[in-house]
Each structure stands twice: as C-alpha cells, then as structure tokens.
Amino acid sequence: MARALINVPSSARRGSIVEIKALIAHPMETGYRVDATGAAIPRNIITRFVCTYRGEEIFSADLFPAITANPFIAFSTVATESGEIVFTWTGDNGFEETETATITVT
Amino acid sequence: MTRTAAALPDPGRRRILAAGAGGAAALLFTWRPARAGPGESEAAIRTLTGGVAPMPGRVRFDVPPLVENGNSVPVTVTVDSPMTAAEHVRRIAIFNERNPQPNVIVAHLGPRAGRAILSTRMRLATSQRVVAVAELSDGTFWSDSVEVVVTLAACVEG
C-alpha cells in the first residue's frame, strides 16, 4: 500500500470550479539507471491515473518515466453534485491504488 | 645518458594507459542512456496530433527558466479555452527533447474540468526545450515551448 495524499475541498458551491491535487508515494524508477554493481534497475512506474466524480470520469493521464518520483498532479473540476471523487493509480508490477474523497455541494 | 633512457615511458606502460582510457570511455558510453533528440520529440508530437504540426499560441507553459534540480521541476500548462461542451480542451501533453524518452505526460480532460489547467512535476536530464501541446474539441492543436537551463541533471545519476 502506497501512501497517497489528496486535496479536495470538503464543500463547494454548485457550479464553482474546484482545484484537485493528488500526490502518491512511488519511486517512479525510470529503467535508465544502474545500481552500485552496474546492473540496470528495471523500470517501475505508474502508467495511468484516473479520477472519477460520482462514477463519471472527469480526468485521466498517461504517465511516462519523465514524471518525478511521488507523482503530483493538479487539475480542476466543476462542483456539480455532492458525492465521491475516486482516484486510481495503476502501474508496472501490478501496482494499483485507490483513494476516495467526498465533496459536499451546496 | 642512461638517465634519459630510463625516464622515457616504456611502450608496455603506454599500452596499459591507452587501454584504460578506452575502457573508461566505453563505460561512459554504455552508462549514458540514449537521448530522445529533437527529431524523436517531433515524431512523438506528430503521433499525438496524427501528423499535423501544432500551431503556436493559446497554450501557456509555465516552467522555471533556470532549474537547480532536474529531478523535480514544477510545470503548469494553461490553455485559453471556455471549457464548454461545444468548445473545450480534449488533451494536454508535454514533450521534451533530451530526456531518454520524448513523452512526459498525456492528460485527458473535458468540459467537466471547468478550467483547462494541468500542473505536475517532471524530470529533466539536461538543459533543453520542453513543449506543451493541447488538442481542442474542434480538432486543432496548439503548442507553447520553453527553453530550460538545468544545473543538476536527473536520470543519469541519483
């Protein structure tokens, strides 16, 4: 279980634009580095990030080795209804992590 | 004049030195990962756009022009778009020219985003030009590029 940090405002006015920030602990090993013995370190990265709002996909991204360790992604969305915002990261070696945030729309 | 003769390096020692230098050079080349190069970056952009060259404008790519640590460079892409169902940004992608791979990120968004903005942190192997490309709902592609100077490189060491 990797640790993830997500930042979603707990409440928002209907129709307002809210900023969403997501950060997850992950080495994002590029596959281009070598260890102390000179052997190549195999690639281990997160390849996809998906964000759904009340079950509907609002944002997704394909990540490449040029993204830093502990990938950080910030984007925005329109607060439409109260509900759950679900974040999913998937990657190499069967990596999968899901985090959920709840937003109350007034 | 026996002293001069003794001071001359003997051929055996030279051979060893040359072999050592050659070996070190070979190690350097094998350690360095391949660089993407401007051509590959261009090719990656064309793969995204389907062969169309993106037009400059409408996209603002914020990258610090001088980067101390290439391992973590904060970048923000903003696209001038009303983000309505009729007119919005479909994709935002970032490319580089001199990392081992030209792609950095491809983000998919839609009218639900409200604002066409994407922030992330990227690695930079060396000083280079980075490009942001946006695909709009009308099928047009726009881009912005920034020259970045990096003092500590990522990828190769650390």
Side-chain angles (χ1 to χ4, degrees), chain A residues 2 25 56 67 79 92-93 105:
Chain A
E56 196 189 325
I67 294 293
D92 294 341
N93 310 323
V105 177

Side-chain angles (χ1 to χ4, degrees), chain A residues 17-18 58-59 75-78, chain B residues 83 109-117:
Chain A
I17 297 169
V18 293
I58 53 162
F59 180 90
F75 54 97
S76 64
T77 192
V78 179
Chain B
M83 293 307 271
L109 52 168
R112 296 273 317 256
R115 236 193 323 250
I117 185 161

Side-chain angles (χ1 to χ4, degrees), chain B residues 19-147:
Chain B
L27 267 178
L28 259 179
F29 282 116
T30 48
W31 273 351
R32 280 280 162 100
R35 296 266 186 256
E40 250 185 79
S41 158
E42 199 106 308
I45 294 172
R46 276 176 195 278
T47 310
L48 179 95
T49 63
V52 189
M55 291 168 277
R58 293 194 71 167
V59 180
R60 209 178 84 216
F61 194 11
D62 287 313
V63 188
L66 179 71
V67 173
E68 258 183 43
N69 185 354
N71 280 308
S72 180
V73 185
V75 297
T76 300
V77 182
T78 6
V79 187
D80 172 25
S81 166
M83 293 307 271
T84 57
E87 196 182 350
H88 58 264
V89 175
R90 268 196 221 136
R91 283 188 291 179
I92 295 177
I94 302 176
F95 300 92
N96 69 78
E97 286 186 347
R98 293 178 63 95
N99 278 10
Q101 260 181 46
N103 301 75
V104 179
I105 188 169
V106 181
H108 307 254
L109 52 168
R112 296 273 317 256
R115 236 193 323 250
I117 185 161
L118 167 73
S119 295
T120 187
R121 292 180 195 144
M122 68 179 285
R123 290 176 170 135
L124 286 171
T126 178
S127 301
Q128 58 184 300
R129 198 166 70 98
V130 282
V131 185
V133 178
E135 181 191 8
L136 270 54
S137 53
D138 60 2
T140 54
F141 291 90
W142 301 83
S143 74
D144 188 16
S145 67
V146 182
E147 289 282 348

